[in-house]
Amino acid sequence: MSLSDADIATIWLTLQLASVVTILLLLIGTPIAWWLTRTQSWLKGPVSAVVALPLVLPPTVLGFYLLLAMGPSGVIGEITQSLGLGTLAFSFSGLVVASLIYSLPFVVQPIQNAMEAIGERPLEVAATLHASPWDRFFSVVLPLARPGFVTASILGFAHTVGEFGVVLMIGGNIPGETRVVSVAIYDHVESLAYSEAHGLAGAMIVFSFIVLMILYNSQRRGRAASMTFGARP
Amino acid sequence: MTGSHASSSPIEIRFNLALGEPATDAFTLDVDTTIAGQGITAIVGPSGSGKTTLLRCIAGLLHAQQGDCSVAGECWQRAGLFLATHKRPLGYVFQEASLLAHLTAQGNLDYAMKRAHRALPEGFADQVIEIMGIGALLSRMPHQLSGGERQRVAIARALLVAPSLLLMDEPLASLDTARKQEILPYLERLHETVQTPVLYVSHSMDEVARIADDVVVLDAGRIHTQGKLETVFSQLNLPLNKADETATIHTGRIVERDTQWHLSRLELADGQNIWTKDDGDKLGQDVRLRILARDVSLSLNDVSDTSILNRLRVQVTQIAADHDEAMALVQLTIGAVTSNEILIARITQRSVAHLDLKVGQVLWAQIKSVAVVR
């Protein structure tokens, strides 16, 4: 059950993809989560629904439309081509874009929940202490929502590592470029290389277990921390 | 910060704010007044009378559709202008503990000091920490502090942002009686040493009697009565929750200490004498007394064979019904009718009829207990 060089390259690519996607998602997801927490707009419902779509759609549906959009005559494809970037389909960048959409709810929702749990009072307190809205966001909202960010990072990372359908649809199976662990396992099984499949699949199980264990431990601590607010001891 | 209470510009406020559904549970705050720019002004009134709403309007946490507000010569709100809360040089102490949970007590104080509206005088922070008695608590997280300790840190934090006005919304309401007694002395020391004017919302007449200089009585969103603590408390028609808390406030000077019986003799402004338990206050010191109306009884003659120490000649100025229909409130002047010292007796309607009490009548008041509140 040893890992070949090709498999190690695949794992490395997967981790690269998940890291890039997680960092980008924290940057994109935080303002979305904050907007969803604070807005009174009628757009809150539609935006929440769009963010949550990947939770219910089969990855193949998402992958199919992304493939069309990224293709030479698709919306995204025309933009990237006019910028001289070619098309994103079957490239690492394309995988990143697809993963951003696919994993968005797993990042936005925990952050949004944590921000909503803060409530109005700490922000009012900070306002009476001469803190501007930006100041309040960085000095009160971000630190108090920290457990949500931990959860979001772990879920976003793990979910990107575990994706299969979307990758298969728009990434294909190019070694070193778009071949990630889940696709590689599928490949190994197809070619009846069960031993190699075991290596990667076993590694995935161990990885997933460790990630979830860290997540639940951090959530327990997060709850304890969030309970330090308010009147009771 | 110590010593002189420099007079500063008064606080002018006018708010008109409608909340809730107009048809069903509409509440309107309609206030137009001027409040002293120094000392502690208590805002009292029954639950739902708009005390907190008024404070939130002043802080800009609520936006009254129509309003003017200027503090310390600076306009915070008028037609076409609404300064955001964080731009108003105010301090706010919320009803329940409101320390930022991710910071230690020191971190909470630093949060305010870093953002202070003007440079804090040298040693001011140390002085505030000393007054509030929180020096030993600074390294603790909020959840490691008791309710009373958290509130003391919150009060110190509000002072360290160098406010022109300190707003306190029932800061002791979430605490039990023992904790309240623990905090009140700190508030009194604050009053003696810090010049910042304070608006202090409370429903506790006991707290107000101890710390307030002026009182604004709110009822159903409007100002019912406003004025000096002693004057407001001497009125019979205050819309207060607990009628048996009706009391009058008096300022007296200690002129004699009876060491044999551990009593002090106080002289009121118009020369009347009141005996009270000797609490160790020095001769010549001014103290504030609170006399509950339920502790005052009336008789037609001076009865000397009684255990009651304080028997004063009084004259009836007004008789009013109490919230309790069995009871009546009788307003009296101590000594001559021209005296400024007003006492209120809460007695039964039957006694009013039995003694045939009338305005102008001269009586003897027996005061069962006198509390030195400050």
Side-chain angles (χ1 to χ4, degrees), chain B residues 63 79 129 181 229 232 239 243 247:
Chain B
H63 190 162
I129 288 167
Q181 295 309 322
L229 174 71
V232 171

Side-chain angles (χ1 to χ4, degrees), chain B residues 29-341:
Chain B
L29 179 74
D30 187 1
V31 164
D32 184 353
T33 191
T34 302
I35 293 169
Q38 62 196 70
I40 299 184
T41 301
I43 299 173
V44 301
S47 313
S49 58
K51 306 185 291 286
T52 297
T53 307
L54 175 60
L55 225 54
R56 291 177 65 83
C57 282
I58 295 172
L61 294 170
L62 253 180
H63 190 162
Q65 297 95 329
Q66 297 173 32
D68 297 300
C69 177
S70 54
V71 175
E74 190 187 345
C75 185
W76 290 0
Q77 184 179 356
R78 66 174 126 79
L81 171 90
F82 182 81
L83 218 55
T85 300
H86 71 273
K87 293 183 179 159
R88 302 183 181 201
L90 55 83
Y92 202 112
V93 180
F94 291 84
Q95 191 165 339
E96 76 291 335
S98 57
L99 298 183
L100 296 169
H102 60 293
L103 300 173
T104 60
Q106 179 73 58
N108 271 276
L109 300 183
D110 291 343
Y111 193 96
M113 283 191 276
K114 258 185 243 161
R115 295 165 175 81
H117 291 274
R118 51 196 148 81
L120 295 166
E122 191 72 24
F124 181 79
D126 293 336
Q127 201 173 350
V128 168
I129 288 167
E130 206 268 318
I131 290 175
M132 299 314 292
I134 53 174
L137 313 173
L138 294 176
S139 60
R140 299 204 201 152
M141 294 302 285
H143 70 272
Q144 296 168 315
L145 299 172
S146 74
E149 290 167 343
R150 277 198 289 256
Q151 228 29 337
R152 269 149 55 195
V153 175
I155 293 167
R157 184 181 64 178
L159 286 167
L160 291 179
V161 77
S164 305
L165 173 64
L166 181 58
L167 303 168
M168 303 179 89
D169 185 6
E170 303 207 33
L172 309 186
S174 61
L175 307 176
D176 57 37
T177 315
R179 295 274 175 235
K180 272 182 202 170
Q181 295 309 322
E182 167 200 317
I183 279 199
L184 274 167
Y186 294 105
L187 288 180
E188 285 167 14
R189 292 175 68 189
L190 178 80
H191 181 252
E192 286 156 18
T193 47
V194 178
Q195 285 182 30
T196 315
V198 180
L199 293 188
Y200 187 98
V201 164
S202 178
H203 63 254
S204 158
M205 292 305 112
D206 181 43
E207 272 167 56
V208 172
R210 284 183 67 161
I211 64 169
D213 301 305
D214 294 332
V215 180
V216 174
V217 183
L218 278 184
D219 190 25
R222 287 161 195 278
I223 292 182
H224 180 283
T225 315
Q226 181 179 358
K228 287 266 151 231
L229 174 71
E230 292 86 345
T231 317
V232 171
F233 270 42
S234 67
Q235 298 188 15
L236 295 186
N237 61 346
L238 296 181
L240 301 172
N241 287 339
K242 291 179 190 156
D244 64 348
E245 278 203 327
T246 302
T248 49
I249 308 295
H250 307 265
T251 305
R253 176 162 296 173
I254 297 174
V255 290
E256 183 186 340
R257 290 178 72 180
D258 182 335
T259 46
Q260 186 187 355
W261 302 110
H262 306 287
L263 295 171
S264 297
R265 182 163 66 86
L266 307 176
E267 195 175 281
L268 303 184
D270 286 355
Q272 305 90 344
N273 286 309
I274 297 225
W275 286 94
T276 176
K277 205 151 57 74
D278 189 339
D279 287 340
D281 292 311
K282 292 188 196 70
L283 273 180
Q285 189 172 335
D286 283 335
V287 295
R288 181 181 280 184
L289 301 173
R290 179 175 186 232
I291 301 177
L292 286 165
R294 61 164 193 249
D295 288 336
V296 179
S297 61
L298 299 172
S299 70
L300 297 176
N301 306 302
D302 183 11
V303 190
S304 58
D305 51 349
T306 164
S307 65
I308 300 210
L309 218 50
N310 289 304
R311 304 186 301 278
L312 299 169
R313 192 170 173 277
V314 295
Q315 195 163 7
V316 179
T317 47
Q318 201 184 341
I319 302 171
D322 189 70
H323 299 271
D324 182 342
E325 59 183 19
M327 306 301 288
L329 294 173
V330 183
Q331 189 192 52
L332 313 148
T333 52
I334 305 177
V337 74
T338 53
S339 153
N340 289 319
E341 293 295 340

